[in-house]
Amino acid sequence: MGIMLEHDERLRAHVHPADWPPPEPARRYHMVVIGGGTAGLVTALGAAGLGARVALVERAQLGGDCLNTGCVPSKALLASARVAEGARRAAAFGVTTGDVAVNFPHVMERMRRLRADIAEHDSAERLRSHGVDVFLGDATFKGRKVVVVGAHELRFHRACVATGSRPRLPPIDGLDPKHVLTNESVFDLNELPRRLAVLGGGPVGCELAQAFAAFGSEVTLIQRGERVLQHDDAEAAAVVQRSLRNSHVRLRLATTATKLARGADGAHVLSLAPDDFGATLEADRVLVATGRSPVVDGLELEQAGVEYDAESGIRVDDNLRTTNERIFAAGDVCLSTRFTHAADAAARIVVRNALFPGSQKWDAERVPWCTYTDPELAHVGQTEDRARRNGRGVEVIRIESHQLDRAVVDGRTDGFVKFVVDRRTQLVGATIVGAHAGERLAELVPLVTERVALHRLAGRIHPYPTYAAATARAGDRANAARLTPFRAKLARVLLAFLR
């Protein structure tokens, strides 16, 4: 416990130092940023790097969800979970390890240590060293051109609201926020729950359910929909769903938790509907992963003329400008694609559009995403399902993992790569489910966003053997499809002259 507290104190010293002195405000800032998560940090550092006078206001911890309660701690846990699962599968590779035991406190200590190590990149001191005035406290708008932080008034030429999002709690009778886990509190655990109920089958729910099952918890995932990962390709999500079951995660699909109570022994008792597999479920801890809501309260956005609503957040146009032409927004507070890399990309657009002439546009369809289950599921552009629902005439080229030599020798033949092309054979979407899907998607992102013709990928040279060979193989198939009967006959005629 002592070493964990030491790591937590080291984290806070970087992202919310108790003795941080508020700077003397400039007469007027080129940019005032509210929120010190990914979108706010990129906006502030980007603007300051171009010579702008910048102030950043954060009321909680710099680094936002990604550093403190999201990407960094969750991926640290997933790394430990994969080592445990790899050790359990070692015999299939001719390696004997004996019984596998997970020391959960050590897993959590490692996560907190690495999080504190990384925190320097998002620290108040680093921001100050790059010329950003950092104010720790609550920000409110006072009119259309002023932000107030404590006793200080920050006047601005432009502002960016990047206050992020928070976990959304479902309307379950008896649910007490203080007694359930969310992604903001699950990383404070020091003891492994023997029984864990996970509400929500989205990326966070699936990732953490699989991780805690690997650590040894009895995990039950409760999902209202008919399948997990409902925003992803249905066939790809089915691969992940099968893997969750193989990882000993119990799935209760098309099921709703209607009530949460405490049993005589202190256990959480969930009432479920329908009750086909039991009317109640007992768990030692309940993890709520049912989505996120934008943080818009307390900002006095009305005073600044900025329109918003509690569900979708701040209203912005394609240039990420709000209804106040001086104020922009970026990240979870205004985007439907609530990912760290989306917040980063949006912040760069804000810097360009707020400080310079031009109107760079935000395009959500260009944003890739990855769910870090095992196997991973990564996607960019149109899914096959969505393209067909929109009435687009598309074709699909699918390369199975078992057709890739690298996947065979690695023992990772679960999954596939799906290429979605339009009538002109331009690549409009790609989905990968399998080992290292997030890394493999990187090659395909620019090809999808630039609508490259799939047959052009046949000429790309990839190292052998790699998972990326699927890209060249898809190009070969697209080329073969272009060989119409007329072209084949013409080729035979031309070759006849060479005899």
Side-chain angles (χ1 to χ4, degrees):
M1 289 290 291
I3 190 68
M4 293 199 194
L5 291 175
E6 179 183 319
H7 295 322
D8 291 345
E9 289 171 4
R10 193 157 53 92
L11 171 72
R12 283 191 291 272
H14 284 305
V15 298
H16 198 104
D19 57 352
W20 185 255
E24 184 66 29
R27 184 177 61 83
R28 193 183 193 203
Y29 287 100
H30 292 109
M31 174 73 76
V32 169
V33 181
I34 303 177
T38 298
L41 291 170
V42 173
T43 301
L45 290 169
L50 294 168
R53 292 188 302 277
V54 181
L56 182 143
V57 186
E58 171 56 51
R59 66 181 177 186
Q61 297 196 141
L62 293 164
D65 177 71
C66 182
L67 171 67
N68 297 287
T69 60
C71 311
V72 170
S74 68
K75 301 314 170 278
L77 292 195
L78 292 178
S80 295
R82 285 177 183 170
V83 169
E85 282 301 291
R88 293 185 181 109
R89 294 195 299 263
F93 294 83
V95 178
T96 302
T97 60
D99 293 335
V100 177
V102 174
N103 186 322
F104 186 71
H106 283 196
V107 169
M108 299 304 283
E109 185 273 328
R110 174 183 181 273
M111 176 272 290
R112 291 175 181 173
R113 171 171 50 83
L114 296 177
R115 180 174 61 179
D117 290 344
I118 292 172
E120 182 179 0
H121 304 312
D122 297 344
S123 66
E125 186 57 49
R126 177 172 180 254
L127 286 164
R128 181 164 62 182
S129 72
H130 283 73
V132 177
D133 287 349
V134 178
F135 295 84
L136 300 179
D138 293 305
T140 57
F141 282 98
K142 181 182 176 182
R144 300 176 67 87
K145 301 187 238 183
V146 179
V147 168
V148 176
V149 188
H152 301 288
E153 289 191 352
L154 312 181
R155 302 182 181 278
F156 60 81
H157 176 64
R158 294 286 185 264
C160 176
V161 181
T163 46
S165 62
R166 62 168 64 99
R168 180 190 301 128
L169 299 180
I172 297 175
D173 183 27
L175 188 152
D176 186 340
K178 297 190 296 293
H179 295 147
V180 297
L181 299 170
T182 68
N183 79 293
E184 291 185 351
S185 57
V186 69
F187 303 111
D188 295 330
L189 287 175
N190 296 314
E191 295 182 3
L192 180 69
R194 184 173 68 84
R195 300 167 300 178
L196 177 67
V198 179
L199 305 183
V204 173
C206 289
E207 289 176 6
L208 292 179
Q210 194 173 47
F212 275 85
F215 296 148
S217 291
E218 298 175 9
V219 180
T220 302
L221 188 151
I222 301 163
Q223 163 71 341
R224 293 182 62 183
E226 297 286 342
R227 64 175 175 90
V228 300
L229 303 177
Q230 295 194 93
H231 297 296
D232 283 284
D233 178 272
E235 291 180 312
V239 175
V240 174
Q241 188 165 294
R242 183 168 62 249
S243 178
L244 288 171
R245 286 196 168 104
N246 292 339
S247 300
H248 307 293
V249 175
R250 300 189 192 95
L251 296 181
R252 291 289 305 267
L253 304 176
T255 301
T256 303
T258 59
K259 185 178 180 180
L260 180 58
R262 300 298 290 271
D265 60 352
H268 298 270
V269 181
L270 284 159
S271 299
L272 305 177
D275 58 0
D276 299 348
F277 300 95
T280 61
L281 172 71
E282 288 194 4
D284 298 296
R285 300 304 299 261
V286 175
L287 170 62
V288 178
T290 51
R292 301 184 65 81
S293 298
V295 177
V296 290
D297 54 299
L299 295 171
E300 300 292 343
L301 292 168
E302 298 87 351
Q303 299 295 322
V306 174
E307 295 181 7
Y308 69 95
D309 67 61
E311 275 299 312
S312 59
I314 292 177
R315 177 184 162 194
V316 292
D317 60 18
D318 290 343
N319 306 126
L320 301 179
R321 191 188 301 266
T322 72
T323 48
N324 178 337
E325 64 179 10
R326 291 179 176 271
I327 301 173
F328 292 73
D332 288 10
V333 75
C334 64
L335 302 179
S336 59
T337 46
R338 289 174 178 158
F339 308 115
T340 294
H341 50 280
D344 182 304
R348 295 168 191 270
I349 291 175
V350 166
V351 171
R352 168 67 186 273
N353 291 344
L355 300 180
F356 302 99
S359 55
Q360 190 172 355
K361 295 186 182 300
W362 171 255
D363 180 3
E365 196 169 299
R366 297 166 62 94
V367 177
W369 69 76
C370 181
T371 298
Y372 297 91
T373 46
D374 187 10
E376 293 179 355
L377 195 165
H379 165 80
V380 65
Q382 295 270 324
T383 63
E384 178 186 5
D385 308 335
R386 182 178 171 189
R388 296 197 190 286
R389 282 198 307 269
N390 292 343
R392 298 184 69 163
V394 295
E395 294 182 9
V396 172
I397 291 180
R398 177 168 162 158
I399 308 296
E400 303 289 342
S401 292
H402 65 73
Q403 297 173 308
L404 304 174
D405 294 350
R406 176 61 184 275
V408 172
V409 299
D410 280 357
R412 299 306 309 267
T413 55
D414 49 340
F416 57 83
V417 187
K418 184 182 285 190
F419 302 84
V420 182
V421 297
D422 62 15
R423 290 190 178 92
R424 294 172 294 179
T425 75
Q426 290 179 326
L427 190 59
V428 298
T431 295
I432 305 175
V433 59
H436 313 296
E439 304 293 340
R440 294 157 62 189
L441 188 72
E443 178 186 24
L444 300 179
V445 171
L447 304 180
V448 170
T449 56
E450 295 166 17
R451 298 291 193 263
V452 172
L454 188 59
H455 69 269
R456 294 185 180 276
L457 307 186
R460 293 194 167 207
I461 303 174
H462 293 86
Y464 175 87
T466 60
Y467 292 94
T471 301
R473 187 164 295 187
D476 288 337
R477 288 198 190 174
N479 256 340
R482 297 174 71 225
L483 190 61
T484 62
F486 172 77
R487 287 176 174 171
K489 182 178 180 179
L490 181 60
R492 287 194 297 271
V493 170
L494 292 174
L495 289 171
F497 285 101
L498 300 179
R499 293 176 182 171

